[in-house]
Each structure stands twice: as structure tokens, then as C-alpha cells.
Amino acid sequence: MLYRYNVMPKTKISEILNTRARTLSAEIIPPRNGTETDAVYRQIGALKNVPVDFISVTKGAGGSLRGGTLPIAELIERQFGVASLAHFTCRDYSIEEIENALMDHHYFGIKNILALRGDPPDGQPDYFQSKPNRHEYAWQLARQIRDLNLGRYLVREGYDTAPRAAPKSEKRKGQATDFCIGVAAHPEHEPLELAVDYLAKKVEMGAEFAITQMIFSAEPYARFMEECARRGLKIPILPGLRIATQKSAAERMVKKFGVRVPQALVDALARAQSDEEGRRIGLEFSRALCEKLLALGAPGLHVFVMNDAATAAELLRAFRAG
Ligand code: FAD
């Protein structure tokens, strides 16, 4: 590991979830390529002050080009002393490119990876038709990470073996990595049984915890957790939350992510006379939702930060004492 001699030992999120009664965490988005990068330091600083238990960093989400996931995840740990979770999407890469990128994470001492497929690029709904040497689903990425944790590396035809001598499933034995694997869960996916099937598959492939798609009411989370319990799925599942402070943003989330936003929140935001009033309405709504989720037994709260880390920090701070 490159930084073996000058940093604290890296913490796995599975360990944090096992030891803390309530985990508080947040997701940040790298700045758009070519924009000011210092903003990210201010966001991390605001979240560290809560203090949060870990910060996750998205990869390529939202359409625009945003590099930096790995170095930002690394600096969260090295410079700020906070555990980080690097999102890793498999949608654009061959399995060989994925193995190399996972090794970059390993060298940098990144312990926690959120294994995702990623959204299709805008206007390309057929993007995920299966292609050779590529994953179609996140569970396949989870399996590839678990393989590395078992010291099983890809075999290179023509290099490790004669061309076509080895079946694709054969693995080369190597040094085991030690990644903690997280995945996405989708409580509002219909039918519910299938949503839980998909999560169960990820758990079978080594997922140790999950974070849900953003939710704006406690009911889908409660139903999803009940179904998981009925099926014997025991991993911690953190509810994902986003603070809606403007009517237009709330409507965009419905359109873009297919999530349900209560009409009462949309109407209240529509009546807001100022940005500050919208912020207060969104914050109060999220605070009440967090209370319900914790009462349902949620192991923690994970807030998606868009631009406003201060508001996310304010929400999380209200739950730090408990
Ligand atoms: P999958 O589990 O592979 O699901 C993809 C699709 O396949 C879904 O429609 C699902 O219903 C279906 N499916 C899943 N498993 C199976 C199966 N076994 N058999 C048949 N069908 C199946 N996107 C980014 O680009 N970058 C990010 O950083 C990012 N971060 C995210 C963080 C969180 C917490 C969440 C919830 C989502 C995030 N996303 C991100 C978006 C996410 O990648 C998309 O919502 C994507 O469409 C689904 O991702 P997944 O990882 O759940 O993929």
C-alpha cells in the first residue's frame, strides 16, 4: 500500500455499522470537470464537523463529466481523517479495465467500495444490452470484487495461458485484497419481491451493506425492510435521503429517478417566498422523515449532498447526539 507508513489504519464501513448504534453519513459529488475544486474541501470540512461517520463520493453520476472520485475518497481519509466510500460504476468498462481500476483503489488504501452499475447515458436506453467482457448488473461487479478479496484475478488469454486455453471463469491466484463491498438498494422498485431478489443476489456475491435510492417517505423503506427480514436478508440498509429545497428540484427528482415525492412537500415548496424559506421547509420535512426512519430501526442516515453541504450537515447534526 503506497501510504502504509503515514496514515491511520483505514476503517471498513461494515465495522462502523457493527459498532455504532446510529451511523451518520453523506454522499458528495465531485465538481464538474473544469470548475473550482476547492469547493469539495469546504463540503468535506462541513461534514467532518457534524461529525459524520463516513463520506461517499459518486462516480460519473448525473450526466456531466466529473473525474476525481478516487483521489477525493483518498483525501477524505488522509487529510480529514474521515472514513470514505468510493462509488464504482461498471457500466463503461471491460472486466480487465475494472480489475486495473480496483487495483488503483487497493494501492491507495481505499477499503470501501459501493459497487454500482450506473445510470445509462441520457437518450441511450439500450446501453446495457449485454456486451462481451462487460458486466450487465452490479451483482457481477460485486462478484469481481469478492473474487479479488479471495485472491482470484483474471486470466489473460495468450499471456497467462495459450489463446483460448482457459475458460473465462478460470482465475489466476494472487494476493487477496480486503475491500468492504456496499451496494445500492431500490425500495420503490416494483414488484417489491424482485427488488429484494436483486439485493439478495448482491449479498450472495459479497455485499456487506446497502444504501437505498433516495426516499421521501418512510413507507417504502418499511415495506422493503419487512420483505428483507421475511427473506432472511440481514445486512444493514441505510436509507438514502435528499433535502428538497425547491419545487423544481423536487419535480426533477420524480422525473429523473422515478422516486415518489409527497405532493404536500411539493406544494409547501411552491408556496415558499424565498430560498431561505424553501431551505427551512425542506429541512423540517427531512428531519421528520429521519425520525420516522430511525423509529423503524434504520441503522443510520445517509444524506445525498448536492451543493449545499451546510444544510446536509445541519440535518445530520440534529441526530448526532442520539
Ligand atoms: P443493478 O443492481 O445492476 O440494477 C440495474 C438494473 O438491472 C435495474 O433496473 C434492476 O432492476 C435490474 N437488475 C438488477 N439485478 C438484476 C438481476 N439479478 N437480474 C435481472 N435484472 C436485474 N450512478 C452513477 O452513475 N454513479 C454513482 O455514483 C451512483 N451512485 C449511486 C448511489 C446510490 C446509493 C444509488 C441508490 C444509486 C446510485 N447510482 C449511481 C445510480 C445507479 O447506479 C442506477 O440507479 C442504476 O440504474 C442501478 O444501479 P444498481 O447499482 O442498483 O444496478
Side-chain angles (χ1 to χ4, degrees), residues 258-271:
V259 293
R260 283 190 280 268
V261 179
Q263 195 55 42
L265 172 61
V266 177
D267 292 345
L269 290 171
R271 285 193 299 271

Side-chain angles (χ1 to χ4, degrees), residues 27 57-62 87 89 91 114-120 136-139 184-186 189 198 201-202 211-214 304:
E27 170 188 297
V57 189
T58 66
K59 181 169 173 64
H87 293 209
T89 52
R91 65 162 213 203
L114 195 68
L116 299 153
R117 186 191 68 173
D119 285 320
E136 249 179 291
Y137 301 115
W139 66 261
H186 301 273
H189 183 105
Y198 295 161
K201 182 84 180 164
K202 296 177 189 182
I211 302 175
T212 74
Q213 183 55 282
M214 65 185 83
F304 303 132

Side-chain angles (χ1 to χ4, degrees), residues 27-316:
E27 170 188 297
I28 61 169
I29 305 174
R32 191 168 182 190
N33 293 351
T35 55
E36 188 233 348
T37 50
D38 278 359
V40 88
Y41 288 83
R42 290 194 291 275
Q43 288 195 334
I44 301 165
L47 296 168
K48 180 186 164 76
N49 283 340
V50 170
V52 290
D53 297 297
F54 71 89
I55 299 174
S56 79
V57 189
T58 66
K59 181 169 173 64
S64 53
L65 289 173
R66 292 162 192 266
T69 304
L70 173 56
I72 294 170
E74 200 271 337
L75 80 83
I76 288 170
E77 302 224 345
R78 183 168 44 86
Q79 250 172 273
F80 290 84
V82 177
S84 72
L85 169 63
H87 293 209
F88 193 110
T89 52
C90 58
R91 65 162 213 203
D92 293 322
Y93 307 106
S94 69
I95 54 172
E96 290 84 1
E97 287 167 329
I98 289 171
E99 184 174 291
N100 280 341
L102 288 169
M103 292 321 291
D104 291 346
H105 288 66
H106 178 59
Y107 272 101
F108 274 116
I110 296 295
K111 277 275 172 269
N112 303 296
I113 296 192
L114 195 68
L116 299 153
R117 186 191 68 173
D119 285 320
D122 287 350
Q124 296 185 48
D126 296 334
Y127 192 80
F128 292 112
Q129 278 172 1
S130 71
K131 299 178 191 126
N133 267 18
R134 300 218 167 205
H135 296 317
E136 249 179 291
Y137 301 115
W139 66 261
Q140 295 162 312
L141 172 61
R143 180 178 59 188
Q144 187 173 2
I145 302 171
R146 187 198 57 183
D147 274 348
L148 297 187
N149 282 347
L150 295 169
R152 301 201 308 225
Y153 289 76
L154 295 175
V155 165
R156 211 82 215 264
E157 261 177 38
Y159 186 82
D160 295 314
T161 68
R164 282 184 298 282
K168 270 272 174 285
S169 56
E170 193 176 309
K171 294 287 182 292
R172 181 175 62 81
K173 198 75 195 140
Q175 201 178 58
T177 56
D178 188 25
F179 292 121
C180 169
I181 307 168
V183 290
H186 301 273
E188 291 192 293
H189 183 105
E190 301 285 355
L192 176 65
E193 293 72 23
L194 212 50
V196 176
D197 277 350
Y198 295 161
L199 179 62
K201 182 84 180 164
K202 296 177 189 182
V203 174
E204 190 190 324
M205 294 303 156
E208 293 176 73
F209 69 96
I211 302 175
T212 74
Q213 183 55 282
M214 65 185 83
I215 44 174
F216 287 89
S217 68
E219 287 71 27
Y221 181 77
R223 268 187 283 119
F224 191 75
M225 296 307 287
E226 254 173 52
E227 183 63 13
C228 286
R230 199 181 66 74
R231 302 268 296 273
L233 271 188
K234 293 204 174 80
I235 61 161
I237 302 175
L238 292 167
L241 301 144
R242 181 149 162 206
I243 309 167
T245 57
Q246 287 176 338
K247 176 177 177 273
S248 57
E251 287 171 341
R252 218 172 25 250
M253 288 177 235
V254 176
K255 211 166 154 205
K256 186 152 187 192
F257 302 106
V259 293
R260 283 190 280 268
V261 179
Q263 195 55 42
L265 172 61
V266 177
D267 292 345
L269 290 171
R271 285 193 299 271
Q273 299 291 311
S274 64
D275 287 352
E276 177 50 27
E277 195 185 343
R279 195 186 81 87
R280 201 179 41 72
I281 291 167
L283 201 50
E284 272 317 306
F285 178 88
S286 298
R287 205 191 309 261
L289 175 58
C290 289
E291 268 157 21
K292 283 190 202 158
L293 291 164
L294 291 171
L296 284 168
L301 303 166
H302 187 76
V303 178
F304 303 132
V305 177
M306 297 311 285
N307 299 312
D308 189 358
T311 301
E314 191 176 336
L315 174 65
L316 287 169

